[in-house]
Amino acid sequence: MSFRTMNQNERRIYLIEQLLQENPSLVNRQIPESADDQKMLLRALMNVRPPGAACMEFLEIQDAYLQEELAAKGITGLDELRMAEPGIYMWRGDITTLRCGAIVNAANSGMTGCYHPCHNCIDNCIHTYAGVQLRLKCAEIMERQGYEEPIGQAKITPAYNLPCDYVIHTVGPIVQGKLTGSHIKQLETCYRSCLCKADENHVSSIAFCCISTGVFMFPGEKAAETAIRAVRQYKAETGSETEVIFNVFTEQDERIYRKLLAAD
């Protein structure tokens, strides 16, 4: 059967079976009957899969499956967003469904994604919906680099099955205890590095997640102040015409950014 004629259920079962076969400790695991449980299992299997090549048939079926899943969630284009100030937007939604030049991934120092099954961090979500190609590409970049990614730098990769063109990965500061000036400087550097990487690669628009505000524990309001200041300063200093989207996911972050950008 061609992947083009398979429905989503058939694609999902195929992908689960192939991933189970790759892992000897799971090969006898039963596939659940409900679609929701199958989706959770598929995501978990993709999350724990180490970087590695996959056969063309697997990739074709995976790509068709992920693209249809993303389409079902609803894709939002930059042209649908309202500008908060010249060249800057604020949007609340799922960053994996945003069609723009690049989205920013808040990565860890290993830079190959989150391996915790079905974890709700943005790193996990981006790798899940981009497909297994993204982890392999990141692993190749890190193997050439030869050391963990320092805080504040940025790497760019294709986006594979995501509706954006690229993913820009950056490692934000981890705040353990009191927020310091060093944490703020490191976060500013993340935003500047991502914008620089976008300009170097002629990316016309970039969507920033709320870097370091999740498990890295950077206070939300101070992170937003830092992000907006860093973007404004970079654009003023460089004349960059890259359009910037501040992507938020929670009501609290939306309120913070609306207040700071006067976006109401």
Side-chain angles (χ1 to χ4, degrees), residues 9 15 49 58 60 81 86 95 115 123 141 171 221 240:
N9 289 334
L15 294 171
R49 185 182 190 268
F58 180 93
E60 288 178 340
L81 307 185
I95 202 170
Y115 288 80
D123 197 14
I141 291 171
V171 181
E221 186 154 3
S240 173

Side-chain angles (χ1 to χ4, degrees), residues 65-102:
Y65 177 79
L66 290 175
Q67 289 169 27
E68 190 163 325
E69 287 293 294
L70 283 165
K73 290 205 290 184
I75 305 300
T76 300
L78 176 63
D79 58 345
E80 300 175 59
L81 307 185
R82 190 178 75 175
M83 195 177 290
E85 61 184 66
I88 295 179
Y89 304 77
M90 194 282 295
W91 176 70
R92 182 183 173 194
D94 180 348
I95 202 170
T96 66
T97 65
L98 188 58
R99 181 181 290 115
C100 61

Side-chain angles (χ1 to χ4, degrees), residues 144-161:
R144 289 195 298 270
Q145 178 164 289
Y147 53 88
E148 289 191 339
E149 184 76 350
I151 293 170
Q153 294 187 11
K155 297 285 190 294
I156 189 168
T157 65
Y160 298 101
N161 291 291

Side-chain angles (χ1 to χ4, degrees), residues 121-209:
C121 69
I122 194 165
D123 197 14
N124 189 296
C125 295
I126 287 173
H127 274 268
T128 295
Y129 287 99
V132 299
Q133 301 98 313
L134 181 57
R135 176 164 286 171
L136 177 58
K137 182 67 174 179
C138 290
E140 291 170 349
I141 291 171
M142 295 309 291
E143 184 176 3
R144 289 195 298 270
Q145 178 164 289
Y147 53 88
E148 289 191 339
E149 184 76 350
I151 293 170
Q153 294 187 11
K155 297 285 190 294
I156 189 168
T157 65
Y160 298 101
N161 291 291
L162 298 169
C164 56
D165 298 320
Y166 299 97
V167 179
I168 298 178
H169 311 256
T170 190
V171 181
I174 300 173
V175 179
Q176 294 177 324
K178 184 179 178 181
L179 181 70
T180 67
S182 177
H183 292 133
I184 293 170
K185 184 63 178 177
Q186 288 173 330
L187 188 59
E188 288 176 347
T189 304
C190 287
Y191 283 89
R192 294 184 68 91
S193 294
C194 290
L195 286 164
C196 184
K197 189 66 68 174
D199 283 338
E200 288 173 356
N201 289 273
H202 309 289
V203 178
S204 61
S205 59
I206 182 172
F208 284 102
C209 62

Side-chain angles (χ1 to χ4, degrees), residues 105-115 123 142 149 170-172 216:
N105 178 28
N108 58 51
S109 60
M111 291 289 279
T112 60
C114 170
Y115 288 80
D123 197 14
M142 295 309 291
E149 184 76 350
T170 190
V171 181
F216 282 14

Side-chain angles (χ1 to χ4, degrees), residues 247-261:
N247 165 248
V248 300
F249 196 69
T250 68
E251 288 185 17
Q252 181 180 1
D253 284 330
E254 182 179 24
R255 286 194 298 270
I256 291 170
Y257 273 89
R258 283 198 180 279
K259 181 180 70 172
L260 294 173
L261 289 168

